[in-house]
PDB file of all heavy atoms in Angstrom:
ATOM      1  N   GLU B1420       2.212   2.691  -4.210  1.00 98.00           N
ATOM      2  CA  GLU B1420       2.344   1.658  -5.215  1.00 98.00           C
ATOM      3  C   GLU B1420       3.619   0.953  -5.183  1.00 98.00           C
ATOM      4  O   GLU B1420       4.707   1.561  -5.200  1.00 98.00           O
ATOM      5  CB  GLU B1420       2.133   2.222  -6.575  1.00 98.00           C
ATOM      6  CG  GLU B1420       2.167   1.242  -7.721  1.00 98.00           C
ATOM      7  CD  GLU B1420       2.002   1.868  -9.154  1.00 98.00           C
ATOM      8  OE1 GLU B1420       2.311   3.093  -9.221  1.00 98.00           O
ATOM      9  OE2 GLU B1420       1.779   1.237 -10.051  1.00 98.00           O
ATOM     10  N   PHE B1421       3.571  -0.387  -5.265  1.00 98.00           N
ATOM     11  CA  PHE B1421       4.939  -1.170  -5.313  1.00 98.00           C
ATOM     12  C   PHE B1421       5.482  -0.963  -6.672  1.00 98.00           C
ATOM     13  O   PHE B1421       4.851  -0.898  -7.655  1.00 98.00           O
ATOM     14  CB  PHE B1421       4.480  -2.717  -5.160  1.00 98.00           C
ATOM     15  CG  PHE B1421       5.623  -3.517  -5.518  1.00 98.00           C
ATOM     16  CD1 PHE B1421       6.698  -3.664  -4.704  1.00 98.00           C
ATOM     17  CD2 PHE B1421       5.548  -4.341  -6.692  1.00 98.00           C
ATOM     18  CE1 PHE B1421       7.724  -4.569  -5.057  1.00 98.00           C
ATOM     19  CE2 PHE B1421       6.560  -5.079  -7.041  1.00 98.00           C
ATOM     20  CZ  PHE B1421       7.658  -5.290  -6.204  1.00 98.00           C
ATOM     21  N   VAL B1422       6.846  -0.822  -6.637  1.00 98.00           N
ATOM     22  CA  VAL B1422       7.600  -0.621  -7.821  1.00 98.00           C
ATOM     23  C   VAL B1422       8.559  -1.876  -8.093  1.00 98.00           C
ATOM     24  O   VAL B1422       8.533  -2.509  -9.116  1.00 98.00           O
ATOM     25  CB  VAL B1422       8.426   0.665  -7.802  1.00 98.00           C
ATOM     26  CG1 VAL B1422       9.368   0.752  -8.967  1.00 98.00           C
ATOM     27  CG2 VAL B1422       7.549   1.775  -7.779  1.00 98.00           C
ATOM     28  N   ALA B1423       9.364  -2.135  -7.068  1.00 98.00           N
ATOM     29  CA  ALA B1423      10.425  -3.279  -7.242  1.00 98.00           C
ATOM     30  C   ALA B1423      10.773  -3.681  -5.885  1.00 98.00           C
ATOM     31  O   ALA B1423      10.817  -2.889  -4.841  1.00 98.00           O
ATOM     32  CB  ALA B1423      11.510  -2.794  -8.078  1.00 98.00           C
ATOM     33  N   ALA B1424      11.276  -4.955  -5.733  1.00 98.00           N
ATOM     34  CA  ALA B1424      11.847  -5.461  -4.495  1.00 98.00           C
ATOM     35  C   ALA B1424      13.026  -6.330  -4.743  1.00 98.00           C
ATOM     36  O   ALA B1424      13.208  -6.917  -5.902  1.00 98.00           O
ATOM     37  CB  ALA B1424      10.778  -6.283  -3.721  1.00 98.00           C
ATOM     38  N   ILE B1425      13.880  -6.494  -3.771  1.00 98.00           N
ATOM     39  CA  ILE B1425      15.062  -7.357  -3.879  1.00 98.00           C
ATOM     40  C   ILE B1425      15.390  -8.033  -2.562  1.00 98.00           C
ATOM     41  O   ILE B1425      15.232  -7.402  -1.482  1.00 98.00           O
ATOM     42  CB  ILE B1425      16.286  -6.439  -4.417  1.00 98.00           C
ATOM     43  CG1 ILE B1425      17.406  -7.425  -4.827  1.00 98.00           C
ATOM     44  CG2 ILE B1425      16.565  -5.413  -3.358  1.00 98.00           C
ATOM     45  CD1 ILE B1425      18.536  -6.507  -5.549  1.00 98.00           C
ATOM     46  N   SER B1426      15.730  -9.280  -2.543  1.00 98.00           N
ATOM     47  CA  SER B1426      16.098  -9.939  -1.368  1.00 98.00           C
ATOM     48  C   SER B1426      17.537  -9.404  -0.886  1.00 98.00           C
ATOM     49  O   SER B1426      18.259  -8.752  -1.574  1.00 98.00           O
ATOM     50  CB  SER B1426      16.234 -11.426  -1.690  1.00 98.00           C
ATOM     51  OG  SER B1426      17.291 -11.768  -2.571  1.00 98.00           O
ATOM     52  N   ARG B1427      17.777  -9.799   0.372  1.00 95.00           N
ATOM     53  CA  ARG B1427      18.979  -9.220   1.106  1.00 95.00           C
ATOM     54  C   ARG B1427      20.271  -9.468   0.337  1.00 95.00           C
ATOM     55  O   ARG B1427      21.239  -8.709   0.367  1.00 95.00           O
ATOM     56  CB  ARG B1427      18.976  -9.526   2.506  1.00 95.00           C
ATOM     57  CG  ARG B1427      19.169 -10.888   2.867  1.00 95.00           C
ATOM     58  CD  ARG B1427      18.821 -11.122   4.314  1.00 95.00           C
ATOM     59  NE  ARG B1427      19.068 -12.517   4.846  1.00 95.00           N
ATOM     60  CZ  ARG B1427      18.859 -12.876   6.035  1.00 95.00           C
ATOM     61  NH1 ARG B1427      18.385 -11.989   6.984  1.00 95.00           N
ATOM     62  NH2 ARG B1427      19.069 -14.114   6.374  1.00 95.00           N
ATOM     63  N   GLY B1428      20.321 -10.668  -0.282  1.00 94.00           N
ATOM     64  CA  GLY B1428      21.571 -11.012  -1.014  1.00 94.00           C
ATOM     65  C   GLY B1428      21.503 -10.672  -2.413  1.00 94.00           C
ATOM     66  O   GLY B1428      22.509 -10.804  -3.143  1.00 94.00           O
ATOM     67  N   GLY B1429      20.405 -10.144  -3.005  1.00 96.00           N
ATOM     68  CA  GLY B1429      20.216  -9.829  -4.332  1.00 96.00           C
ATOM     69  C   GLY B1429      19.813 -10.887  -5.298  1.00 96.00           C
ATOM     70  O   GLY B1429      19.726 -10.628  -6.462  1.00 96.00           O
ATOM     71  N   SER B1430      19.661 -12.077  -4.775  1.00 95.00           N
ATOM     72  CA  SER B1430      19.360 -13.193  -5.694  1.00 95.00           C
ATOM     73  C   SER B1430      17.914 -13.224  -6.149  1.00 95.00           C
ATOM     74  O   SER B1430      17.676 -13.838  -7.260  1.00 95.00           O
ATOM     75  CB  SER B1430      19.737 -14.527  -4.985  1.00 95.00           C
ATOM     76  OG  SER B1430      18.904 -14.725  -3.856  1.00 95.00           O
ATOM     77  N   LEU B1431      17.079 -12.664  -5.454  1.00 97.00           N
ATOM     78  CA  LEU B1431      15.615 -12.543  -5.841  1.00 97.00           C
ATOM     79  C   LEU B1431      15.194 -11.174  -6.132  1.00 97.00           C
ATOM     80  O   LEU B1431      15.644 -10.214  -5.323  1.00 97.00           O
ATOM     81  CB  LEU B1431      14.748 -13.112  -4.750  1.00 97.00           C
ATOM     82  CG  LEU B1431      15.034 -14.613  -4.305  1.00 97.00           C
ATOM     83  CD1 LEU B1431      14.027 -14.968  -3.172  1.00 97.00           C
ATOM     84  CD2 LEU B1431      14.729 -15.589  -5.499  1.00 97.00           C
ATOM     85  N   LYS B1432      14.548 -10.906  -7.256  1.00 98.00           N
ATOM     86  CA  LYS B1432      14.070  -9.644  -7.623  1.00 98.00           C
ATOM     87  C   LYS B1432      12.666  -9.675  -8.229  1.00 98.00           C
ATOM     88  O   LYS B1432      12.235 -10.680  -8.682  1.00 98.00           O
ATOM     89  CB  LYS B1432      14.942  -8.936  -8.755  1.00 98.00           C
ATOM     90  CG  LYS B1432      16.357  -8.757  -8.308  1.00 98.00           C
ATOM     91  CD  LYS B1432      17.235  -8.205  -9.504  1.00 98.00           C
ATOM     92  CE  LYS B1432      18.691  -7.951  -9.163  1.00 98.00           C
ATOM     93  NZ  LYS B1432      19.455  -7.414 -10.220  1.00 98.00           N
ATOM     94  N   SER B1433      11.847  -8.584  -7.895  1.00 98.00           N
ATOM     95  CA  SER B1433      10.580  -8.538  -8.401  1.00 98.00           C
ATOM     96  C   SER B1433      10.311  -7.201  -8.837  1.00 98.00           C
ATOM     97  O   SER B1433      10.729  -6.150  -8.217  1.00 98.00           O
ATOM     98  CB  SER B1433       9.557  -8.932  -7.311  1.00 98.00           C
ATOM     99  OG  SER B1433       8.203  -8.850  -7.808  1.00 98.00           O
ATOM    100  N   HIS B1434       9.615  -7.064 -10.070  1.00 98.00           N
ATOM    101  CA  HIS B1434       9.314  -5.663 -10.521  1.00 98.00           C
ATOM    102  C   HIS B1434       7.814  -5.661 -10.879  1.00 98.00           C
ATOM    103  O   HIS B1434       7.259  -6.697 -11.435  1.00 98.00           O
ATOM    104  CB  HIS B1434      10.082  -5.372 -11.908  1.00 98.00           C
ATOM    105  CG  HIS B1434      11.611  -5.215 -11.573  1.00 98.00           C
ATOM    106  ND1 HIS B1434      12.336  -6.417 -11.505  1.00 98.00           N
ATOM    107  CD2 HIS B1434      12.374  -4.171 -11.424  1.00 98.00           C
ATOM    108  CE1 HIS B1434      13.607  -6.076 -11.383  1.00 98.00           C
ATOM    109  NE2 HIS B1434      13.682  -4.699 -11.257  1.00 98.00           N
ATOM    110  N   ALA B1435       7.164  -4.438 -10.671  1.00 98.00           N
ATOM    111  CA  ALA B1435       5.785  -4.363 -10.972  1.00 98.00           C
ATOM    112  C   ALA B1435       5.545  -4.452 -12.448  1.00 98.00           C
ATOM    113  O   ALA B1435       6.431  -3.948 -13.210  1.00 98.00           O
ATOM    114  CB  ALA B1435       5.189  -3.099 -10.489  1.00 98.00           C
ATOM    115  N   ASP B1436       4.394  -4.973 -12.945  1.00 98.00           N
ATOM    116  CA  ASP B1436       4.136  -5.063 -14.372  1.00 98.00           C
ATOM    117  C   ASP B1436       4.319  -3.699 -15.033  1.00 98.00           C
ATOM    118  O   ASP B1436       4.702  -3.696 -16.225  1.00 98.00           O
ATOM    119  CB  ASP B1436       2.776  -5.660 -14.632  1.00 98.00           C
ATOM    120  CG  ASP B1436       2.688  -7.088 -14.281  1.00 98.00           C
ATOM    121  OD1 ASP B1436       3.741  -7.779 -14.045  1.00 98.00           O
ATOM    122  OD2 ASP B1436       1.588  -7.680 -14.128  1.00 98.00           O
ATOM    123  N   SER B1437       3.935  -2.662 -14.423  1.00 98.00           N
ATOM    124  CA  SER B1437       3.886  -1.306 -14.939  1.00 98.00           C
ATOM    125  C   SER B1437       5.299  -0.774 -15.276  1.00 98.00           C
ATOM    126  O   SER B1437       5.418   0.056 -16.153  1.00 98.00           O
ATOM    127  CB  SER B1437       3.174  -0.292 -14.047  1.00 98.00           C
ATOM    128  OG  SER B1437       3.863  -0.245 -12.798  1.00 98.00           O
ATOM    129  N   VAL B1438       6.349  -1.348 -14.625  1.00 98.00           N
ATOM    130  CA  VAL B1438       7.660  -0.928 -14.950  1.00 98.00           C
ATOM    131  C   VAL B1438       8.601  -1.975 -15.503  1.00 98.00           C
ATOM    132  O   VAL B1438       9.767  -1.703 -15.781  1.00 98.00           O
ATOM    133  CB  VAL B1438       8.320  -0.336 -13.653  1.00 98.00           C
ATOM    134  CG1 VAL B1438       7.556   0.771 -13.091  1.00 98.00           C
ATOM    135  CG2 VAL B1438       8.524  -1.418 -12.585  1.00 98.00           C
ATOM    136  N   LYS B1439       8.081  -3.265 -15.480  1.00 98.00           N
ATOM    137  CA  LYS B1439       8.848  -4.336 -16.039  1.00 98.00           C
ATOM    138  C   LYS B1439       9.468  -4.063 -17.437  1.00 98.00           C
ATOM    139  O   LYS B1439       8.765  -3.566 -18.274  1.00 98.00           O
ATOM    140  CB  LYS B1439       8.045  -5.648 -16.028  1.00 98.00           C
ATOM    141  CG  LYS B1439       8.863  -6.859 -15.952  1.00 98.00           C
ATOM    142  CD  LYS B1439       7.938  -8.103 -15.740  1.00 98.00           C
ATOM    143  CE  LYS B1439       7.305  -8.003 -14.330  1.00 98.00           C
ATOM    144  NZ  LYS B1439       6.529  -9.190 -14.072  1.00 98.00           N
ATOM    145  N   GLY B1440      10.803  -4.302 -17.568  1.00 98.00           N
ATOM    146  CA  GLY B1440      11.469  -4.048 -18.828  1.00 98.00           C
ATOM    147  C   GLY B1440      11.966  -2.612 -18.931  1.00 98.00           C
ATOM    148  O   GLY B1440      12.750  -2.404 -19.859  1.00 98.00           O
ATOM    149  N   ARG B1441      11.623  -1.716 -18.016  1.00 98.00           N
ATOM    150  CA  ARG B1441      12.045  -0.391 -18.146  1.00 98.00           C
ATOM    151  C   ARG B1441      12.899  -0.002 -16.852  1.00 98.00           C
ATOM    152  O   ARG B1441      13.902   0.679 -16.858  1.00 98.00           O
ATOM    153  CB  ARG B1441      10.916   0.621 -18.083  1.00 98.00           C
ATOM    154  CG  ARG B1441      10.086   0.392 -19.417  1.00 98.00           C
ATOM    155  CD  ARG B1441       9.006   1.578 -19.516  1.00 98.00           C
ATOM    156  NE  ARG B1441       8.085   1.543 -18.436  1.00 98.00           N
ATOM    157  CZ  ARG B1441       7.886   2.558 -17.589  1.00 98.00           C
ATOM    158  NH1 ARG B1441       8.547   3.687 -17.742  1.00 98.00           N
ATOM    159  NH2 ARG B1441       7.007   2.497 -16.585  1.00 98.00           N
ATOM    160  N   PHE B1442      12.454  -0.550 -15.711  1.00 98.00           N
ATOM    161  CA  PHE B1442      13.184  -0.239 -14.444  1.00 98.00           C
ATOM    162  C   PHE B1442      13.893  -1.533 -13.864  1.00 98.00           C
ATOM    163  O   PHE B1442      13.529  -2.663 -14.134  1.00 98.00           O
ATOM    164  CB  PHE B1442      12.237   0.095 -13.279  1.00 98.00           C
ATOM    165  CG  PHE B1442      11.499   1.404 -13.478  1.00 98.00           C
ATOM    166  CD1 PHE B1442      11.581   2.215 -14.690  1.00 98.00           C
ATOM    167  CD2 PHE B1442      10.631   1.895 -12.398  1.00 98.00           C
ATOM    168  CE1 PHE B1442      10.899   3.352 -14.858  1.00 98.00           C
ATOM    169  CE2 PHE B1442       9.972   3.141 -12.604  1.00 98.00           C
ATOM    170  CZ  PHE B1442      10.105   3.860 -13.745  1.00 98.00           C
ATOM    171  N   THR B1443      15.051  -1.336 -13.311  1.00 98.00           N
ATOM    172  CA  THR B1443      15.833  -2.333 -12.709  1.00 98.00           C
ATOM    173  C   THR B1443      16.177  -2.110 -11.319  1.00 98.00           C
ATOM    174  O   THR B1443      17.001  -1.062 -11.060  1.00 98.00           O
ATOM    175  CB  THR B1443      17.064  -2.764 -13.551  1.00 98.00           C
ATOM    176  OG1 THR B1443      16.605  -2.924 -14.899  1.00 98.00           O
ATOM    177  CG2 THR B1443      17.725  -3.960 -13.066  1.00 98.00           C
ATOM    178  N   ILE B1444      15.848  -2.924 -10.336  1.00 98.00           N
ATOM    179  CA  ILE B1444      16.353  -2.814  -9.032  1.00 98.00           C
ATOM    180  C   ILE B1444      17.606  -3.541  -8.817  1.00 98.00           C
ATOM    181  O   ILE B1444      17.838  -4.608  -9.385  1.00 98.00           O
ATOM    182  CB  ILE B1444      15.258  -3.245  -7.972  1.00 98.00           C
ATOM    183  CG1 ILE B1444      15.724  -2.858  -6.557  1.00 98.00           C
ATOM    184  CG2 ILE B1444      15.072  -4.740  -8.048  1.00 98.00           C
ATOM    185  CD1 ILE B1444      14.569  -3.182  -5.558  1.00 98.00           C
ATOM    186  N   SER B1445      18.580  -3.008  -8.052  1.00 98.00           N
ATOM    187  CA  SER B1445      19.831  -3.658  -7.715  1.00 98.00           C
ATOM    188  C   SER B1445      20.341  -3.150  -6.350  1.00 98.00           C
ATOM    189  O   SER B1445      19.795  -2.227  -5.850  1.00 98.00           O
ATOM    190  CB  SER B1445      20.852  -3.422  -8.846  1.00 98.00           C
ATOM    191  OG  SER B1445      21.216  -2.085  -8.951  1.00 98.00           O
ATOM    192  N   ARG B1446      21.392  -3.814  -5.928  1.00 97.00           N
ATOM    193  CA  ARG B1446      21.931  -3.392  -4.661  1.00 97.00           C
ATOM    194  C   ARG B1446      23.515  -3.652  -4.681  1.00 97.00           C
ATOM    195  O   ARG B1446      23.950  -4.546  -5.323  1.00 97.00           O
ATOM    196  CB  ARG B1446      21.343  -4.018  -3.428  1.00 97.00           C
ATOM    197  CG  ARG B1446      21.469  -5.423  -3.420  1.00 97.00           C
ATOM    198  CD  ARG B1446      20.564  -6.184  -2.384  1.00 97.00           C
ATOM    199  NE  ARG B1446      20.825  -5.687  -0.990  1.00 97.00           N
ATOM    200  CZ  ARG B1446      19.956  -5.740   0.047  1.00 97.00           C
ATOM    201  NH1 ARG B1446      18.821  -6.275  -0.154  1.00 97.00           N
ATOM    202  NH2 ARG B1446      20.333  -5.326   1.227  1.00 97.00           N
ATOM    203  N   ASP B1447      24.101  -2.860  -3.965  1.00 96.00           N
ATOM    204  CA  ASP B1447      25.577  -2.991  -3.795  1.00 96.00           C
ATOM    205  C   ASP B1447      25.863  -3.033  -2.218  1.00 96.00           C
ATOM    206  O   ASP B1447      25.887  -2.038  -1.512  1.00 96.00           O
ATOM    207  CB  ASP B1447      26.391  -1.847  -4.356  1.00 96.00           C
ATOM    208  CG  ASP B1447      27.928  -2.139  -4.259  1.00 96.00           C
ATOM    209  OD1 ASP B1447      28.330  -2.887  -3.549  1.00 96.00           O
ATOM    210  OD2 ASP B1447      28.636  -1.550  -5.222  1.00 96.00           O
ATOM    211  N   ASN B1448      25.878  -4.218  -1.684  1.00 93.00           N
ATOM    212  CA  ASN B1448      25.990  -4.411  -0.232  1.00 93.00           C
ATOM    213  C   ASN B1448      27.351  -3.881   0.293  1.00 93.00           C
ATOM    214  O   ASN B1448      27.356  -3.488   1.532  1.00 93.00           O
ATOM    215  CB  ASN B1448      25.869  -5.820   0.154  1.00 93.00           C
ATOM    216  CG  ASN B1448      24.373  -6.333   0.038  1.00 93.00           C
ATOM    217  OD1 ASN B1448      23.462  -5.522  -0.173  1.00 93.00           O
ATOM    218  ND2 ASN B1448      24.172  -7.678   0.197  1.00 93.00           N
ATOM    219  N   ALA B1449      28.365  -3.807  -0.580  1.00 94.00           N
ATOM    220  CA  ALA B1449      29.613  -3.304  -0.107  1.00 94.00           C
ATOM    221  C   ALA B1449      29.478  -1.740   0.115  1.00 94.00           C
ATOM    222  O   ALA B1449      30.268  -1.174   0.884  1.00 94.00           O
ATOM    223  CB  ALA B1449      30.664  -3.624  -1.086  1.00 94.00           C
ATOM    224  N   LYS B1450      28.547  -1.100  -0.575  1.00 95.00           N
ATOM    225  CA  LYS B1450      28.366   0.330  -0.450  1.00 95.00           C
ATOM    226  C   LYS B1450      27.188   0.667   0.301  1.00 95.00           C
ATOM    227  O   LYS B1450      26.845   1.947   0.503  1.00 95.00           O
ATOM    228  CB  LYS B1450      28.355   0.997  -1.890  1.00 95.00           C
ATOM    229  CG  LYS B1450      29.560   0.873  -2.635  1.00 95.00           C
ATOM    230  CD  LYS B1450      29.433   1.544  -4.038  1.00 95.00           C
ATOM    231  CE  LYS B1450      30.633   1.460  -4.858  1.00 95.00           C
ATOM    232  NZ  LYS B1450      30.530   2.086  -6.141  1.00 95.00           N
ATOM    233  N   ASN B1451      26.505  -0.345   0.870  1.00 96.00           N
ATOM    234  CA  ASN B1451      25.205  -0.041   1.702  1.00 96.00           C
ATOM    235  C   ASN B1451      24.237   0.784   0.883  1.00 96.00           C
ATOM    236  O   ASN B1451      23.665   1.615   1.447  1.00 96.00           O
ATOM    237  CB  ASN B1451      25.622   0.580   2.936  1.00 96.00           C
ATOM    238  CG  ASN B1451      26.291  -0.202   3.899  1.00 96.00           C
ATOM    239  OD1 ASN B1451      26.525  -1.511   3.693  1.00 96.00           O
ATOM    240  ND2 ASN B1451      26.645   0.250   5.144  1.00 96.00           N
ATOM    241  N   THR B1452      24.062   0.544  -0.342  1.00 97.00           N
ATOM    242  CA  THR B1452      23.295   1.334  -1.226  1.00 97.00           C
ATOM    243  C   THR B1452      22.340   0.415  -2.128  1.00 97.00           C
ATOM    244  O   THR B1452      22.758  -0.590  -2.701  1.00 97.00           O
ATOM    245  CB  THR B1452      24.123   2.097  -2.136  1.00 97.00           C
ATOM    246  OG1 THR B1452      24.967   2.929  -1.277  1.00 97.00           O
ATOM    247  CG2 THR B1452      23.242   3.149  -3.006  1.00 97.00           C
ATOM    248  N   LEU B1453      21.122   0.894  -2.256  1.00 98.00           N
ATOM    249  CA  LEU B1453      20.094   0.301  -3.023  1.00 98.00           C
ATOM    250  C   LEU B1453      19.902   1.175  -4.316  1.00 98.00           C
ATOM    251  O   LEU B1453      19.938   2.469  -4.237  1.00 98.00           O
ATOM    252  CB  LEU B1453      18.761   0.130  -2.354  1.00 98.00           C
ATOM    253  CG  LEU B1453      17.531  -0.302  -3.191  1.00 98.00           C
ATOM    254  CD1 LEU B1453      17.646  -1.821  -3.423  1.00 98.00           C
ATOM    255  CD2 LEU B1453      16.316  -0.010  -2.350  1.00 98.00           C
ATOM    256  N   TYR B1454      19.591   0.705  -5.446  1.00 98.00           N
ATOM    257  CA  TYR B1454      19.446   1.444  -6.696  1.00 98.00           C
ATOM    258  C   TYR B1454      18.177   1.057  -7.381  1.00 98.00           C
ATOM    259  O   TYR B1454      17.636   0.041  -7.298  1.00 98.00           O
ATOM    260  CB  TYR B1454      20.623   1.176  -7.600  1.00 98.00           C
ATOM    261  CG  TYR B1454      21.955   1.519  -7.120  1.00 98.00           C
ATOM    262  CD1 TYR B1454      22.802   0.536  -6.629  1.00 98.00           C
ATOM    263  CD2 TYR B1454      22.526   2.796  -7.087  1.00 98.00           C
ATOM    264  CE1 TYR B1454      24.147   0.757  -6.120  1.00 98.00           C
ATOM    265  CE2 TYR B1454      23.636   3.171  -6.503  1.00 98.00           C
ATOM    266  CZ  TYR B1454      24.502   2.051  -6.025  1.00 98.00           C
ATOM    267  OH  TYR B1454      25.757   2.342  -5.508  1.00 98.00           O
ATOM    268  N   LEU B1455      17.682   2.085  -8.177  1.00 98.00           N
ATOM    269  CA  LEU B1455      16.617   1.895  -9.133  1.00 98.00           C
ATOM    270  C   LEU B1455      16.962   2.584 -10.344  1.00 98.00           C
ATOM    271  O   LEU B1455      16.966   3.829 -10.483  1.00 98.00           O
ATOM    272  CB  LEU B1455      15.312   2.317  -8.506  1.00 98.00           C
ATOM    273  CG  LEU B1455      14.113   2.102  -9.515  1.00 98.00           C
ATOM    274  CD1 LEU B1455      13.816   0.549  -9.518  1.00 98.00           C
ATOM    275  CD2 LEU B1455      12.858   2.839  -8.926  1.00 98.00           C
ATOM    276  N   GLN B1456      17.436   1.849 -11.365  1.00 98.00           N
ATOM    277  CA  GLN B1456      17.720   2.400 -12.688  1.00 98.00           C
ATOM    278  C   GLN B1456      16.382   2.382 -13.479  1.00 98.00           C
ATOM    279  O   GLN B1456      15.638   1.484 -13.729  1.00 98.00           O
ATOM    280  CB  GLN B1456      18.593   1.521 -13.480  1.00 98.00           C
ATOM    281  CG  GLN B1456      18.952   1.959 -14.845  1.00 98.00           C
ATOM    282  CD  GLN B1456      19.762   3.289 -14.909  1.00 98.00           C
ATOM    283  OE1 GLN B1456      20.708   3.509 -14.170  1.00 98.00           O
ATOM    284  NE2 GLN B1456      19.332   4.275 -15.637  1.00 98.00           N
ATOM    285  N   MET B1457      15.993   3.680 -13.933  1.00 98.00           N
ATOM    286  CA  MET B1457      14.755   3.920 -14.601  1.00 98.00           C
ATOM    287  C   MET B1457      14.979   4.353 -16.025  1.00 98.00           C
ATOM    288  O   MET B1457      15.598   5.447 -16.266  1.00 98.00           O
ATOM    289  CB  MET B1457      13.944   4.943 -13.840  1.00 98.00           C
ATOM    290  CG  MET B1457      13.687   4.519 -12.361  1.00 98.00           C
ATOM    291  SD  MET B1457      12.517   5.727 -11.507  1.00 98.00           S
ATOM    292  CE  MET B1457      13.453   7.202 -11.561  1.00 98.00           C
ATOM    293  N   ASN B1458      14.640   3.584 -16.981  1.00 98.00           N
ATOM    294  CA  ASN B1458      14.796   3.931 -18.349  1.00 98.00           C
ATOM    295  C   ASN B1458      13.426   4.061 -19.106  1.00 98.00           C
ATOM    296  O   ASN B1458      12.439   3.548 -18.525  1.00 98.00           O
ATOM    297  CB  ASN B1458      15.631   2.886 -19.112  1.00 98.00           C
ATOM    298  CG  ASN B1458      16.975   2.749 -18.535  1.00 98.00           C
ATOM    299  OD1 ASN B1458      17.659   3.742 -18.102  1.00 98.00           O
ATOM    300  ND2 ASN B1458      17.547   1.489 -18.603  1.00 98.00           N
ATOM    301  N   GLY B1459      13.389   4.693 -20.188  1.00 98.00           N
ATOM    302  CA  GLY B1459      12.175   4.883 -20.880  1.00 98.00           C
ATOM    303  C   GLY B1459      11.049   5.477 -20.061  1.00 98.00           C
ATOM    304  O   GLY B1459       9.874   4.999 -20.102  1.00 98.00           O
TER     305      GLY B1459
END
């Protein structure tokens, strides 16, 4: 199941309806790391 996606520069983000408002995708290109913050 799709959860979230982000463009390579981070300017575009998409979250599945089931997690929208609770999960947040982000990236830190300086650290070569992708994140998913999951609340609630």
Side-chain angles (χ1 to χ4, degrees):
E1420 178 187 18
F1421 167 73
V1422 176
I1425 189 168
S1426 60
R1427 61 190 186 185
S1430 61
L1431 300 176
K1432 297 179 180 180
S1433 180
H1434 297 82
D1436 288 343
S1437 59
V1438 306
K1439 199 168 297 180
R1441 300 187 298 120
F1442 293 9
T1443 304
I1444 190 171
S1445 63
R1446 65 193 297 161
D1447 187 338
N1448 286 352
K1450 295 182 178 180
N1451 289 358
T1452 303
L1453 176 74
Y1454 302 100
L1455 184 68
Q1456 180 66 48
M1457 305 186 295
N1458 300 325

